[in-house]
Amino acid sequence: MQEVRQVIREDLGKEIQDLFVSFDDTPLGAASLAQVHKAVLHDGRTVAVKVQHPKVQAQSSKDILLMEVLVLAVKQLFPEFEFMWLVDEAKKNLPLELDFLNEGRNAEKVAQMLKHFDFLKVPRIYWELSTKRVLLMEFVEGGQVNDRDYMERNQIDVNEISRHLGKMYSEMIFVNGFVHCDPHPGNVLVRKCPGTGKTEIVLLDHGLYQVLTEQFRLDYCHLWQSLIWTDMKNVKKYSQRLGAGDLYPLFACMLTARSWDSVNRGIGQTPVTATEDSEIRNNAANYLPQISQLLSHVPRQMLLIFKTNDLLRGIEAALGTRASASSFLNMSRCCIRALAAHQRKITRSFFRRTQISLSQAFHLWWIDLHELVLRVKGLRLVSWVTALLCWLLPASY
C-alpha cells in the first residue's frame, strides 16, 4: 500500500483519502505490471483503480535486455530453435501495456466498435483521474468466465457465453482487425445485468491489442473460409500467403487445434474426441523445431492471434463447449461480410457493388438455412432418443 499511495500521490497530486471516501487495501487482482483496488469517489461512484507498480518502468528495459541475452544463448546451443521474435514482440508491446492512457483509449475504441452487441459490457473510463500509471474505471462485478459454479448459481447458460465470445472475437478479428489479445479468465467476466437481467460479458484489461493490416485480415478471412468449408487447395494457398510455406499442414493444425486428418475431413463436420486431443498433445513435442521455425516466419500479427486463439480454447475447455458447427458458421458470416465490404470498397461500378451485396445476402441466407437444417436434425435426434427412452422405461415417464 505504501507504493500504491506513492504512485497515486505522484501522478494525481493528492493523497488517497483526499480522492476517495473509501479505498480497499486488499487488491481485487494483482499481476506483474499493476494491481487493481476497489474504491468509492466522493460523489458516490464505485470505481476500480488500476495502479502500476512503481519500479516496472525502470525494470522493463533490463528485463528485455536479459531476455535478449538468454534467447541468443539458446540460439547458440540449439540452432533449430528460433525465438528472437519473442524479444521483438516484447520490445514493441511492453511500452504500450505500460501506458494506461493507451489502455483507456483501446477500451473506448472497442466499446464503440462492438456497441451493436448488447451482451458486451466494457467499463467506462474516468479520464479526469487517469494517467499513464493510474487508470480509473467503472467498477463492474461478475464471475470469471471459466467459473461454471458461478454460472450455475446465477442461471447463466455456458453455451450462450461460448457463442457470444465467438461472435465477439470473430467480429474483432475478421471485420475490424482490432483484437483484444489477452482474454484469460481474469479479464473476461460474466454476469446478469442488474437492470435487465440479461447475460453480459464484461471485457477487462485493454492494454494489449493487435491491429491487423488489411491484407493480413483478408488473407486470414480467406484461410478460415477454406478451413470451414474444407477447400484444401485454398487452405494451402492462404496458409502460404501467411508465411507458412511447406509447413502449411502444421499451420492449419495450430490454428484449429485439430489433427490434419480432421482438417481434411472438415473441422465443422467431425467432433473433437478425447483420442484426437491426446494425439495432438503427444505429437506436439515431436514438432517443436518445426513450430519454432513456423513462428519465426509468420507475420508478427499472427503471434498474438495464436495467443488469443489458445486462451479462447482454454475457456472453451473449462466450460466444456468446444467449437461447434454453429460457431464455425458464425465465423463464416463474419468472413463473408468482411470480404464483401472490401470488394465493394475497391470497385467504382454501382452494378458491381449491387452484385457483391446480392452475393453476400445469398451466402448469408445459405448459412442461415444450413444452420436451420443442423438444428432440425438435432431436434429430431432428441425426439428419437426421448421416444426410445419412453418405450424402454414407460413407468418413469
Side-chain angles (χ1 to χ4, degrees):
M1 274 306 297
Q2 184 180 349
E3 292 183 337
V4 169
R5 292 176 189 279
Q6 174 195 338
V7 172
I8 289 176
R9 187 186 310 116
E10 289 175 359
D11 280 38
L12 299 178
K14 292 183 178 180
E15 298 294 335
I16 280 180
Q17 60 269 23
D18 297 327
L19 293 166
F20 306 102
V21 174
S22 66
F23 190 98
D24 291 355
D25 287 1
T26 304
L28 296 167
S32 55
L33 301 184
Q35 58 194 51
V36 179
H37 294 259
K38 183 179 178 181
V40 179
L41 293 168
H42 286 285
D43 60 10
R45 289 177 293 177
T46 303
V47 294
V49 187
K50 185 173 181 178
V51 185
Q52 192 173 116
H53 301 313
K55 297 174 185 175
V56 166
Q57 292 274 1
Q59 191 64 39
S60 62
S61 56
K62 297 174 186 174
D63 289 342
I64 290 175
L65 178 61
L66 178 59
M67 185 192 302
E68 191 164 8
V69 170
L70 291 172
V71 165
L72 288 171
V74 169
K75 176 70 175 172
Q76 293 298 315
L77 294 169
F78 307 100
E80 68 272 22
F81 291 101
E82 301 175 23
F83 288 109
M84 193 49 68
W85 55 266
L86 188 62
V87 178
D88 295 337
E89 285 300 293
K91 284 180 179 178
K92 182 184 76 175
N93 291 320
L94 192 53
L96 295 174
E97 289 194 81
L98 290 172
D99 182 356
F100 289 175
L101 295 178
N102 177 66
E103 178 177 342
R105 289 190 292 269
N106 286 341
E108 290 193 340
K109 182 175 178 178
V110 82
Q112 177 64 24
M113 199 173 73
L114 302 181
K115 63 182 180 181
H116 55 289
F117 288 145
D118 60 358
F119 58 79
L120 175 63
K121 171 69 176 176
V122 177
R124 181 183 168 193
I125 305 297
Y126 298 123
W127 291 107
E128 67 273 18
L129 290 172
S130 294
T131 69
K132 283 193 171 188
R133 296 194 300 169
V134 179
L135 187 66
L136 246 72
M137 300 161 281
E138 173 187 6
F139 178 77
V140 183
E141 286 188 289
Q144 288 195 1
V145 71
N146 62 344
D147 188 345
R148 288 183 65 101
D149 291 339
Y150 173 87
M151 294 194 205
E152 286 174 13
R153 288 196 307 273
N154 290 275
Q155 298 180 321
I156 295 172
D157 183 357
V158 294
N159 292 299
E160 182 184 16
I161 293 297
S162 190
R163 284 195 301 272
H164 286 342
L165 271 176
K167 284 182 182 178
M168 193 169 80
Y169 270 87
S170 291
E171 192 84 9
M172 280 194 263
I173 293 169
F174 299 118
V175 178
N176 295 292
F178 185 67
V179 190
H180 179 282
C181 288
D182 205 11
H184 68 73
N187 289 340
V188 186
L189 306 182
V190 293
R191 68 168 189 168
K192 283 288 183 74
C193 180
T196 64
K198 287 185 177 180
T199 301
E200 282 188 335
I201 292 176
V202 183
L203 196 59
L204 306 175
D205 197 343
H206 300 271
L208 187 60
Y209 271 75
Q210 180 64 271
V211 180
L212 307 180
T213 64
E214 187 163 353
Q215 190 58 59
F216 177 93
R217 181 174 60 85
L218 295 172
D219 285 342
Y220 197 61
C221 282
H222 280 297
L223 175 58
W224 268 104
Q225 282 286 75
S226 306
L227 287 164
I228 291 166
W229 302 109
T230 326
D231 180 354
M232 300 312 295
K233 181 180 176 182
N234 278 327
V235 167
K236 178 179 179 180
K237 174 184 174 181
Y238 288 104
S239 294
Q240 291 181 333
R241 285 186 63 153
L242 289 167
D246 292 336
L247 294 173
Y248 72 91
L250 177 62
F251 183 64
C253 294
M254 287 170 65
L255 275 179
T256 59
R258 302 296 301 273
S259 69
W260 181 238
D261 181 56
S262 293
V263 171
N264 274 284
R265 284 187 288 141
I267 53 176
Q269 309 300 320
T270 53
V272 183
T273 63
T275 304
E276 184 182 0
D277 268 346
S278 177
E279 177 192 340
I280 290 169
R281 279 196 301 272
N282 293 336
N283 287 338
N286 298 329
Y287 286 98
L288 274 179
Q290 291 89 338
I291 292 171
S292 170
Q293 182 185 344
L294 187 59
L295 292 175
S296 68
H297 284 91
V298 295
R300 291 291 169 261
Q301 300 160 81
M302 182 58 72
L303 300 174
L304 284 179
I305 296 294
F306 272 133
K307 177 194 175 188
T308 304
N309 284 348
D310 286 344
L311 287 169
L312 289 172
R313 284 197 198 97
I315 291 172
E316 285 179 348
L319 296 180
T321 58
R322 287 297 293 269
S324 63
S326 180
S327 67
F328 286 129
L329 292 178
N330 281 326
M331 290 174 70
S332 190
R333 286 187 181 98
C334 285
C335 292
I336 288 168
R337 286 169 44 219
L339 294 169
H342 172 71
Q343 289 169 349
R344 280 193 295 268
K345 188 172 76 172
I346 62 174
T347 184
R348 295 181 179 180
S349 164
F350 173 77
F351 174 76
R352 177 64 183 141
R353 284 200 296 271
T354 305
Q355 194 178 31
I356 292 165
S357 295
L358 289 173
S359 176
Q360 174 188 335
F362 172 78
H363 283 100
L364 292 175
W365 172 82
W366 190 90
I367 288 176
D368 289 343
L369 182 63
H370 185 69
E371 191 168 37
L372 178 62
V373 169
L374 290 176
R375 285 181 182 175
V376 169
K377 284 181 179 177
L379 289 171
R380 191 179 301 163
L381 178 62
V382 169
S383 65
W384 287 345
V385 170
T386 304
L388 179 63
L389 287 173
C390 289
W391 180 70
L392 292 172
L393 305 167
S396 302
Y397 292 87

